[in-house]
Amino acid sequence: MKINTVLAFALAGYATTAVAQAQQITGAGATFPAPVYSKWAESAKPATGIELNYQAIGSGGGQNQILNRTVDFGASDAPMDAAKLASGNILQFPAVMGAVVVIVNIPGVEMDALKLPGELLADIYAGTISKWNDPKLVEANRGVTLPNLAIAPVYRADGSGTSFVYTSYLSAVSADWKSKVGAATSVKWPAGAGAKGNDGVAATVRNTKGSIGYVENAYATQNKLITVQLRNKARQFVKPTAAAFNAAASAGNWRDAKNFAVDLIDQAGDTSWPIVSATFILLPKDPKDPGRSANVMKFFDWAFTNGAATAQALEYIPLPGAVQDAVRSAWHTEIKNPDGKPVF
Amino acid sequence: MQQARRTASRGANLGDFVFASLTRIAGVFVLVLLGAIIVTLFIGGLPAFEKFGVGFLTSTDWDPVQEVYGAAVPVFGTVVTAVLALIVSVPLAFGIAFYLTELAPQWLRRPVGTAIELLAAVPSIIYGMWGFFVIVPIMAQYIQPAVIDSVGELPLIGPLFGGPAFGTGILTAALILAVMIIPFIAATMRDVFLTVPPVFKESAYGLGCTTWEVMRSIVIPYTRTSVVGGIMLGLGRALGETMAVTFVIGNTNRIATTLFGPGNTIASLVALEFPESQSGSLKLSALLALGFILFVISFIVLAISRVLLRPRLKV
């Protein structure tokens, strides 16, 4: 690192451009927000002079690395344990939100035509509903012809934040699922087959007749996969649209959430999409190098102010303004340099 | 080494002594490295071994939510896919080696031989992607539905070909593995077939034997142990293969009851679960314990192949 700094100074001496030398910050963790972080980093560099080096190694890895203080910030899809946050002296704040959608491959079933109440979705993944023409599914889908075809549930085989969000939803809508399987980055799936990554699930669903899977919304949009309508808490069927995602995001109870660990699953509201979740940044409250830590906050401050359009273009959901302000004030009050002064 | 020490003590040639020492250090380094890996895996896996005891080997549970882990499913998947891959690849590799050493015209032997060696150099991720984007759709859309409809109803073997046609599964993984290990087995077989002294074969031909009779009664008996050793080397590679298998096996922590059913292997499970395992967690320990078990399995296979290869290599 020292050599790098020396090298950077040497290069800066030679450089004739007006751009100040880039200040490096490093982060590691969640794969799900990695595309938007790198896009933000690209556009933030000329504006702020901060160069982000983000390694998408998985949420678990991000938590480990920030606990060991090997990076400037960690990133995690699932909120970190309150106890671990306290013992590690870490501030957690949301960066951006995303939605998970359900995709199917059933001959004759068109975009957003199929309606799935959450408890039936849980039954499908539990293996108790195994045919598409099951009376319960036919009952919920008058007007859609469902074939006599075996259901092939597809899930993420690798441990992932997407699975955590999806199984949280299934646990919220089905008591059976909650007691028998539960919610985690990887669970003991009672039925179906696994595929690696969002793209693996998308490809497997495309290849397999009668299959059903779940992916980040971006993958479904980009690959033009057949999504389905889900029933929300207000017992309304909603299509996976940006408006529905935003409705869920603003319905969340941000004020009472400890460590910003807000639960956006199955929110109230007629138009809310039921599977929405935030992804988090983990920042030490007692940074080793307050300068770098300040740059991390400067970077996310820039992203909150200027990055909303980028996030939406990549199918993410930007944080509501009130939440951004709450995060900024948490930075100010929680993150202190060794003299006890706020870093940012 | 004796020689080197003697010369050095005479002070005749310091260079020899230094060189001998350096090579000795290099040799010992390999041993130390191997030992360190085994010890690290074992210590890392110790919490899992302590928590679950011998049951770790027989339990089919893999439940990260309840923190209950067992090795039976991935061990089963590892062994079954590797053995199925052998069943497919050994006859093919034998055919290739037989053709190359006995039947192929001289001008064809070199290009085919080189092609085999090149196949061995293809990175496994390429096999994985090829399997996922080419073989899996073919299996899902044509082969599996046809087989399930025709053979699936038969008694006895019928149950082996059931379940939904995902395209992925134990059989698909075994087929990809077979393609991957054919070059290893074929190259070994070709090399050992070439070690048969020509005079033996010529005598047999002189007695009026056909090519097949020469193969069966002269070449195979003469090279039997080496051939088995080569097969074991292929088996070793099949056991540890990760990326290619991950793409096509279906990644399911249940014992597959049909050939089309999804399963899991040790290497694949470790690769998939590792990024989301937190340090100090029981899950990480269970993954390291699985790595240790894979090490032991591979070691046994390698030891067998060494024992079988030894007599012929000395000739």
Side-chain angles (χ1 to χ4, degrees), chain A residues 30-31 57-64 67-68 77 84 150-155 157-161 178-196 199-201 203-204 206-209 211, chain B residues 60-66 68-69 125 132-134 136-138 140-141 163-169 243 246-254 261-264 268-269 271-281 283-284:
Chain A
T31 46
I57 57 171
S59 300
Q63 296 191 10
N64 290 342
L67 287 171
N68 297 329
D77 286 332
K84 266 193 175 170
I151 301 180
V154 183
Y155 53 83
D158 43 338
S160 84
K178 194 174 183 180
S179 63
K180 286 184 187 144
V181 186
T185 51
S186 59
V187 299
K188 189 184 174 187
W189 296 96
K196 188 171 156 26
D199 38 356
V201 171
T204 307
R206 206 184 303 127
N207 289 338
T208 315
K209 279 205 178 82
S211 60
Chain B
T60 58
D61 239 4
W62 185 272
D63 190 339
V65 181
Q66 311 292 332
V68 180
Y69 303 103
I125 181 81
F132 189 70
F133 290 113
V134 180
V136 167
I138 292 176
Q141 282 158 25
F166 273 112
T168 53
M243 274 329 286
T246 302
F247 272 86
V248 297
I249 197 167
N251 310 300
T252 301
N253 291 312
R254 295 185 294 272
N264 223 338
S268 165
L269 180 67
L272 287 171
E273 296 277 12
F274 198 73
E276 292 291 334
S277 308
Q278 286 160 26
S279 59
S281 66
K283 184 169 159 188
L284 188 62

Side-chain angles (χ1 to χ4, degrees), chain A residues 80-331:
Chain A
M80 201 163 160
D81 254 13
K84 266 193 175 170
L85 283 171
S87 69
N89 205 8
I90 282 167
L91 173 72
Q92 169 176 278
F93 64 89
V96 70
M97 291 171 288
V100 174
V101 300
V102 175
I103 53 176
V104 292
N105 176 355
I106 314 166
V109 171
E110 286 168 19
M111 192 73 173
D112 293 336
L114 193 69
K115 292 175 178 171
L116 285 178
E119 60 276 12
L120 295 191
L121 192 58
D123 284 350
I124 286 174
Y125 268 86
T128 47
I129 294 181
S130 58
K131 288 271 186 188
W132 280 113
N133 62 353
D134 189 283
K136 284 182 190 162
L137 289 173
V138 173
E139 171 72 33
N141 287 284
R142 297 269 165 80
V144 180
T145 348
L146 289 168
N148 177 15
L149 186 66
I151 301 180
V154 183
Y155 53 83
R156 284 285 290 274
D158 43 338
S160 84
T162 314
S163 291
F164 172 77
V165 174
Y166 185 68
T167 49
S168 299
Y169 170 68
L170 294 183
S171 299
V173 293
S174 159
D176 252 16
W177 185 274
K178 194 174 183 180
S179 63
K180 286 184 187 144
V181 186
T185 51
S186 59
V187 299
K188 189 184 174 187
W189 296 96
K196 188 171 156 26
N198 276 305
D199 38 356
V201 171
T204 307
V205 169
R206 206 184 303 127
N207 289 338
T208 315
K209 279 205 178 82
S211 60
I212 180 168
Y214 60 92
V215 290
E216 298 293 349
N217 179 46
Y219 284 86
T221 318
Q222 283 156 15
N223 297 314
K224 303 199 169 50
L225 298 165
I226 306 290
T227 51
V228 307
Q229 297 186 42
L230 292 181
R231 195 170 66 190
N232 62 19
K233 204 168 192 174
R235 304 192 73 76
Q236 300 293 320
F237 283 101
V238 281
K239 294 179 180 177
T241 58
F245 304 153
N246 282 321
S250 40
N253 183 4
W254 294 87
R255 198 170 306 156
D256 298 336
K258 254 197 159 164
N259 299 316
F260 291 106
V262 64
D263 184 8
L264 296 175
I265 298 290
D266 209 20
Q267 286 300 317
D270 283 351
T271 56
S272 296
W273 179 253
I275 322 181
V276 172
S277 118
T279 182
F280 299 91
I281 297 293
L282 306 164
L283 201 57
K285 290 181 180 175
D286 52 345
K288 274 191 307 198
D289 184 342
R292 291 173 78 100
S293 184
N295 279 336
V296 173
M297 288 179 273
K298 201 169 148 196
F299 173 78
F300 281 104
D301 181 52
W302 181 92
F304 287 166
T305 318
N306 306 299
T310 317
Q312 276 163 341
L314 293 170
E315 308 284 340
Y316 294 88
I317 311 153
L319 293 182
V323 181
Q324 296 184 2
D325 291 340
V327 169
R328 286 191 182 103
S329 77
W331 289 343

